[in-house]
Amino acid sequence: VGAGPAQAATTTTVTVDGSQGGRTFDGIGAISGGGGNSRLLRDYPAAQQSQILDYLFKPGYGANLQLLKLEIGGDANSTDGAEPSIEHTRGQVNCDAGYEFWLGEQAKARNPNIKLYGLAWAAPGWINGGFWSTDTINYLISWLGCAKQHGLPISYLGGWNERGHDVNWYIQLRSALNNAGYGSVQIVGDDSGWGVADDMASNSAFNNAVSVIGAHYPCQGGDGGNADTCSSTTAAKNNGKPLWASENGSLDMNSGAPALIRSIVRGYVDARMTAYLNWPLVAAIYPNLPYNTVGLATANSPWSGSYSIGEDTWATAQITQFAQPGWKFVDSASGYLGGAESNGTYATLKSPGGSDYSTVLETTTATAAQTVGFHVQGGLSTGTAHVWATRVNSPSAATDFVHTQDITPSGGSYTLTLQPGWIYTVSTTTGQGKGTAAGPAAHALALPYTDGFDNDTSGTEARYLSDMQGAFEARACTDGRSGQCVQQVAPVKPIEWQDDSDAFSLAGDPTWTDYTVKADVDLQQAGTAELLGRANTQNRPQSHQAAYELRVADTGAWSIVRTSAGGSATTLASGGHAALGTRSWHTLALGFSGDQITASVDGATLGTATDSTYSAGQVGIGVVGYQTDEFDNLSVTANA
Ligand code: 147
């Protein structure tokens, strides 16, 4: 069977032969990290939070993820926020810091078979000798200990995200893991490019230390990429260890779905990759941040519970609901439709030792209908072939993950017609399902808004506060104040992953316009604290934050500063005030009414400015540097 005349439908014959084989499938997953992207999910109302988690993890419901990479937080920004470290200062480990262990627990509760993978982007500043140090190895082992306390076995551990590798560090990590009882944790090298495979080929100790070769964006995904091809190197393929797209994605949750499925299918066909991890899991971030629609779903409105499930979820389901880690690819039943990649691509997997098979076909680059003839042989089931399909090029709920047909093969043979722009899965397995939960409509966070931080769990991030750099945690207030405050608890500059900025944290609704934001502040060391208002667009790195800031130092020096998404800062007004000193409480306020900006301390006006650059945005707290200042009674009241 071959291609007919130009107008005729392309025809492909797929011989699904159970006696043929290929590499072992390791799973499809996503990344919570790199970073801050799951932050708001933690603050969702319980019902909608559970629904979103079901769409991501629950078998037979949605994306049904098989792998979950968790960021090992380092108190520094890793794209959309700074994830809290379990050890802000040397020796003080808090296994309840952050939200990644919580997320891992939620994933495991829904799918006990999901495998977890830890990876660091940044690391706390107390570490001596830089990232590739013994301190970091010990820190990662502490993190594994925390995971264990949470009942979370970690299957895979990486080095430093997208920062290459230090061969000797990886060798030391392997022996340290073995000595600490983590012999079963497999090391992934090196979450950067395929060059790691060259170094593995020339160094047997390094080769022995690394269990999985994981490269990033091997499918020309990434920012604006469309995954027209996937590649791995000869050295990687010859190594024999599993090859993974240990990060790919970075595309919009709906329009990126065709590239996502191409990356998975072509990842195997072109490059022999057996796992795919999408960046990120979910866009549970404020909508003024970069990549705010990138993930399998968006969840940016914790006060309303509104969320949206992306086409990426259904594209992922077309594989994960039909083949499990441990299944084998059938190379001879995987390839290009009609022999040309422009028609689309397909890959077949078979169950280990069983008779089930699933073939995933994608026609995202096709322009015409085509037919595929299947011939099942070699011990695989010639029973009913169930067909599920998703119209991935034109997303619509009615054409997401639809059970379209049940085909009864005749003598092991049947045909299937494929329309352009779809994903089809043909499978002998059953048990698939499409979740039906839906969230409420979104609404703004109502004013007045106040938070005294007394309801937050000590040692965790406060509700709605999303750290951009440093770590802001609920802690007992000091200096004569009872109850809880929020304290910046990363006391020195972390080992960063992207460029430096001062520690700050954002909260609230980006649509707020005319309001006064207030907070009490207690400077713990000499230096300057900040109150942010009308914080809107943030570009990378996080220092590129459009906002107005009131900055007040212990000396009493103050300024109203306008910062931009281009990274510049303009002083609009400045002056002096009686010294605030340290270790005492003061109230800062920054008010907006049209183009009028008013700053005050302890009820006394410091100064005003007139500026119409920004008309709306969030509030925030911060410090110039990494002082461990305390904040309390954050309030936002509307101005007429
Ligand atoms: C990734 C980072 O690992 C993520 O933390 C996040 O910042 C993401 C945003 O796109 O970027 O790094 C990339 C590295 C390479 C490419 C894309 C993203 N690439 O080659 O397209």
Side-chain angles (χ1 to χ4, degrees):
V1 182
Q7 298 88 341
T10 302
T11 303
T12 307
T13 299
V14 179
T15 302
V16 183
D17 185 343
S19 72
Q20 301 295 304
R23 294 193 180 219
T24 302
F25 177 59
D26 295 310
I28 306 299
I31 305 166
S32 177
N37 309 71
S38 303
R39 171 67 190 92
L40 299 181
L41 189 53
R42 185 76 193 256
D43 290 342
Y44 257 64
Q48 287 85 33
Q49 181 186 73
S50 184
Q51 290 164 13
I52 297 164
L53 291 164
D54 286 350
Y55 277 112
L56 297 172
F57 301 114
K58 189 175 163 181
Y61 194 85
N64 201 340
L65 295 177
Q66 297 156 332
L67 298 169
L68 175 62
K69 187 194 280 187
L70 303 173
E71 177 169 351
I72 300 171
D75 296 338
N77 193 290
S78 52
T79 300
D80 284 304
E83 302 213 4
S85 168
I86 54 154
E87 197 171 356
H88 304 298
T89 54
R90 185 189 289 270
Q92 290 177 30
V93 175
N94 170 17
C95 294
D96 292 323
Y99 40 87
E100 298 296 358
F101 293 130
W102 165 80
L103 182 70
E105 289 168 8
Q106 296 298 317
K108 274 270 176 200
R110 287 166 174 78
N111 177 6
N113 295 324
I114 195 166
K115 287 196 174 169
L116 304 176
Y117 172 172
L119 179 67
W121 273 249
W126 56 261
I127 286 178
N128 278 328
F131 190 92
W132 304 119
S133 62
T134 304
D135 268 357
T136 301
I137 289 175
N138 292 333
Y139 174 65
L140 296 181
I141 289 172
S142 295
W143 186 87
L144 291 172
C146 283
K148 197 189 248 180
Q149 270 188 36
H150 283 273
L152 300 173
I154 302 298
S155 300
Y156 306 103
L157 180 69
W160 193 3
N161 183 67
E162 294 179 354
R163 293 293 178 270
H165 56 269
D166 176 310
V167 165
N168 290 322
W169 184 89
Y170 270 83
I171 295 168
Q172 282 168 30
L173 175 65
R174 179 71 270 163
S175 64
L177 291 177
N178 295 349
N179 293 338
Y182 295 107
S184 65
V185 174
Q186 299 193 53
I187 295 177
V188 182
D190 62 359
D191 281 295
S192 301
W194 294 117
V196 64
D198 300 331
D199 288 351
M200 288 166 74
S202 63
N203 182 329
S204 62
F206 183 44
N207 191 50
N208 291 339
V210 174
S211 301
V212 173
I213 301 173
H216 282 201
Y217 296 86
C219 293
Q220 293 186 10
D223 307 303
N226 60 9
D228 282 333
T229 183
C230 298
S231 61
S232 55
T233 60
T234 302
K237 279 184 270 207
N238 286 347
N239 183 286
K241 293 188 178 174
L243 310 183
W244 289 10
S246 58
E247 183 180 320
N248 210 87
S250 290
L251 297 172
D252 175 82
M253 69 166 185
N254 291 316
S255 64
L260 182 149
I261 193 65
R262 281 197 296 275
S263 298
I264 293 171
V265 178
R266 301 195 62 166
Y268 188 73
V269 171
D270 294 344
R272 292 291 178 256
M273 291 185 287
T274 55
Y276 170 96
L277 287 120
N278 195 67
W279 186 86
L281 173 70
V282 60
I285 56 174
Y286 287 116
N288 39 320
L289 297 177
Y291 309 104
N292 61 75
T293 64
V294 175
L296 303 181
T298 58
N300 60 21
S301 184
W303 38 82
S304 72
S306 180
Y307 65 87
S308 176
I309 301 301
E311 193 72 355
D312 279 356
T313 290
W314 304 116
T316 302
Q318 291 279 157
I319 304 236
T320 54
Q321 292 203 24
F322 300 92
Q324 301 313 310
W327 282 40
K328 298 263 183 220
F329 282 96
V330 180
D331 292 357
S332 57
S334 304
Y336 297 156
L337 290 166
E341 55 201 75
S342 57
N343 297 320
T345 62
Y346 63 100
T348 299
L349 295 125
K350 62 173 184 176
S351 61
S355 65
D356 280 320
Y357 70 90
S358 298
T359 301
V360 182
L361 311 97
E362 62 81 16
T363 58
T364 58
T365 54
T367 53
Q370 53 192 311
T371 59
V372 179
F374 289 85
H375 300 294
V376 183
Q377 60 190 59
L380 294 175
S381 167
T382 55
T384 306
H386 311 283
V387 184
W388 289 70
T390 294
R391 189 179 183 185
V392 71
N393 283 18
S394 318
S396 152
T399 51
D400 284 336
F401 207 61
V402 183
H403 185 177
T404 54
Q405 286 184 75
D406 284 322
I407 304 174
T408 305
S410 164
S413 296
Y414 56 94
T415 61
L416 180 69
T417 300
L418 310 180
Q419 300 300 327
W422 287 70
I423 306 168
Y424 297 86
T425 308
V426 182
S427 179
T428 53
T429 65
T430 56
Q432 292 76 20
K434 181 182 175 184
T436 55
H443 61 72
L445 178 56
L447 295 180
Y449 172 73
T450 62
D451 195 346
F453 309 120
D454 293 327
N455 298 322
D456 297 306
T457 304
S458 180
T460 68
E461 288 174 294
R463 189 172 72 144
Y464 302 159
L465 266 180
S466 181
D467 299 347
M468 295 294 120
Q469 183 78 345
F472 292 77
E473 278 185 357
R475 296 276 180 105
C477 309
T478 63
D479 299 322
R481 181 167 294 215
S482 61
Q484 241 178 189
C485 290
V486 159
Q487 185 172 18
Q488 199 294 106
V489 293
V492 291
K493 179 174 162 167
I495 296 174
E496 297 178 308
W497 182 73
Q498 68 176 23
D499 287 1
D500 189 25
S501 75
D502 300 317
F504 72 105
S505 189
L506 297 174
D509 200 303
T511 65
W512 286 342
T513 54
D514 288 339
Y515 60 80
T516 295
V517 54
K518 278 188 194 173
D520 299 340
V521 62
D522 179 355
L523 301 170
Q524 297 296 296
Q525 299 92 26
T528 300
E530 299 170 344
L531 191 58
L532 287 79
R534 288 187 178 172
N536 54 92
T537 306
Q538 182 186 114
N539 289 327
R540 297 182 81 175
Q542 72 288 347
S543 56
H544 292 42
Q545 173 67 59
Y548 295 108
E549 295 179 1
L550 168 58
R551 296 181 181 171
V552 182
D554 60 304
T555 60
W558 64 269
S559 56
I560 301 172
V561 176
R562 184 186 69 220
T563 57
S564 81
S568 65
T570 306
T571 300
L572 302 178
S574 63
H577 176 81
L580 274 58
T582 59
R583 311 299 309 252
S584 66
W585 285 96
H586 299 277
T587 302
L588 310 184
L590 188 58
F592 305 96
S593 187
D595 61 4
Q596 294 301 301
I597 305 171
T598 305
S600 65
V601 166
D602 297 325
T605 300
L606 294 171
T608 61
T610 303
D611 191 274
S612 58
T613 310
Y614 309 132
S615 57
Q618 297 186 279
V619 301
I621 53 178
V623 299
V624 177
Y626 290 91
Q627 300 89 281
T628 57
D629 297 344
E630 296 175 17
F631 299 85
D632 197 14
N633 296 327
L634 180 65
S635 77
V636 185
T637 44
N639 290 330

